[in-house]
Amino acid sequence: MTGIICVNKPQEFTSFDVVASMRRCFGTKKMGHGGTLDPMATGVLPVFVGGATKAVDLVPDDSKSYRAGFRLGLVSDTQDIWGKLRSRCENGISEAEIQFALEDFRGEIMQIPPMYSALKVNGQKLCDLARRGIEVERKPRPVTISRLELASFDGTDGVLEVDCSGGTYIRTLINDIGEALGTGAIMTSLCRTKSCGFTLESCHGLEEIRGADREQLERWLIPVEAVFAELPEIPLDEVQRRMYLNGVRLDADRLMKRSGTGILSRVTFGGEFLGVGRINTDGELVPVKQFRSE
């Protein structure tokens, strides 16, 4: 079987736990996922099955959406409620003050990755170093916060709605907002509501998937071309189709339709999705990745 199944990841499961469970359900080791979720987080985890795993590193939409709970007045080593508390502040903050502070965190910002993360420094995961009490310097990285809204706030606890680029740490965003307010803040919950273009409405529960038969699993699989639906299309004729599938570079001027140079595009034949390619500077359609039915 080949395709994508969207899982609503339950709390206390790692992304690897979910993939391991899917391997047993689908009877294949060929699996990948679209963006790691921490164990305490829930929500959209697209799992790529079979030949669809080739799309994991090519997904054009790497943006994510989250609904995150936070609490003001606390700072922890992990930047969330599951870590060890480092400080407490009783200063009161109004909703208007939070709204004002959020302005500085919209758009492109610089973010320092947290020590409790899977990022590697000199071959070692930061979280492994953190557990040994070692803290190393991390360089700030640019991330984009395209939407940041305060959904609710009761004077201490609140909820943020966030749309952001891939690689954004929501608990670090909340920590930094807390620093800007002068009170500190920790994340208390996290649900990913969108990933790789898929939403919670596209997801199935882990237990639901485990209880499904093979026929049902096949019906739930989303075709891999779904993640490339927004890309420009390059349709081929029969001769070009054979050449493309054999890895031959095609003269872009002879194509029925071409995209701009360097733009990732869907390559099709008669409406059938063949793969993705790019027009290079020499005016040739170069195959990037092919997707054939298995």
Side-chain angles (χ1 to χ4, degrees):
M1 287 189 279
T2 291
I4 302 164
I5 187 160
C6 290
V7 182
N8 186 349
K9 190 190 85 66
Q11 204 170 50
E12 306 299 336
F13 279 73
T14 67
S15 298
F16 179 80
D17 290 337
V18 173
V19 169
S21 185
M22 293 302 97
R23 284 178 175 144
R24 290 190 292 271
C25 292
F26 286 89
T28 178
K29 292 182 178 180
K30 205 171 184 182
M31 293 266 180
H33 63 75
T36 302
L37 276 174
D38 289 341
M40 80 298 184
T42 63
V44 182
L45 183 68
V47 177
F48 293 70
V49 182
T53 55
K54 293 184 289 186
V56 171
D57 296 328
L58 286 174
V59 175
D61 182 4
D62 74 340
S63 64
K64 307 286 192 295
S65 296
Y66 296 92
R67 186 175 178 86
F70 68 90
R71 181 171 299 163
L72 296 183
L74 300 175
V75 175
S76 77
D77 58 350
T78 59
Q79 301 179 340
D80 57 40
I81 199 171
W82 296 275
K84 295 180 180 178
L85 288 181
R86 286 180 168 173
S87 66
R88 187 184 299 268
C89 176
E90 302 295 339
N91 292 347
I93 294 294
S94 68
E95 182 173 330
E97 288 175 297
I98 295 178
Q99 296 284 14
F100 182 78
L102 294 184
E103 288 291 336
D104 290 334
F105 292 90
R106 296 186 178 109
E108 186 171 294
I109 63 173
M110 299 302 290
Q111 189 177 77
I112 298 176
M115 278 300 301
Y116 280 90
S117 66
L119 288 179
K120 291 184 177 181
V121 173
N122 297 324
Q124 296 187 78
K125 288 184 179 180
L126 289 176
C127 57
D128 292 337
L129 295 173
R131 293 187 186 104
R132 287 155 47 194
I134 301 171
E135 184 165 349
V136 297
E137 183 180 359
R138 291 96 64 205
K139 293 182 179 179
R141 305 187 308 174
V143 297
T144 300
I145 310 297
S146 51
R147 184 173 74 96
L148 179 60
E149 303 295 337
L150 184 65
S152 65
F153 182 63
D154 66 5
T156 303
D157 288 61
V159 174
L160 292 172
E161 298 278 0
V162 186
D163 295 344
C164 58
S165 58
T168 302
Y169 288 92
I170 304 301
R171 52 198 161 95
T172 299
L173 175 64
I174 289 172
N175 176 83
D176 294 348
I177 292 170
E179 285 188 357
L181 290 169
T183 64
I186 58 173
M187 186 176 74
T188 56
S189 65
L190 183 66
C191 178
R192 187 158 67 192
T193 57
K194 186 177 179 182
S195 178
C196 300
F198 302 112
T199 64
L200 282 169
E201 288 69 32
S202 308
C203 292
H204 302 277
L206 190 55
E207 291 305 316
E208 181 186 18
I209 297 171
R210 285 171 169 170
D213 58 26
R214 187 175 182 85
E215 184 178 333
Q216 182 64 70
L217 292 175
E218 287 182 344
R219 285 200 297 268
W220 285 342
L221 280 176
I222 301 168
V224 67
E225 56 261 38
V227 298
F228 302 112
E230 300 303 316
L231 295 182
E233 180 184 8
I234 300 179
L236 305 182
D237 61 28
E238 176 60 39
V239 174
Q240 292 167 339
R241 171 187 174 275
R242 290 198 301 268
M243 295 174 68
Y244 172 82
L245 292 178
N246 286 321
V248 177
R249 298 185 176 192
L250 303 175
D251 184 350
D253 289 334
R254 298 190 178 186
L255 301 175
M256 290 180 280
K257 188 191 295 183
R258 59 173 291 173
S259 61
T261 300
I263 297 175
L264 192 69
S265 304
R266 288 183 297 124
V267 182
T268 65
F269 168 71
E272 175 193 0
F273 177 67
L274 301 178
V276 292
R278 285 191 178 95
I279 307 294
N280 66 15
T281 54
D282 293 326
E284 302 168 320
L285 171 61
V286 180
V288 173
K289 196 79 70 174
Q290 295 177 7
F291 295 89
R292 305 192 193 198
S293 299
E294 295 186 356

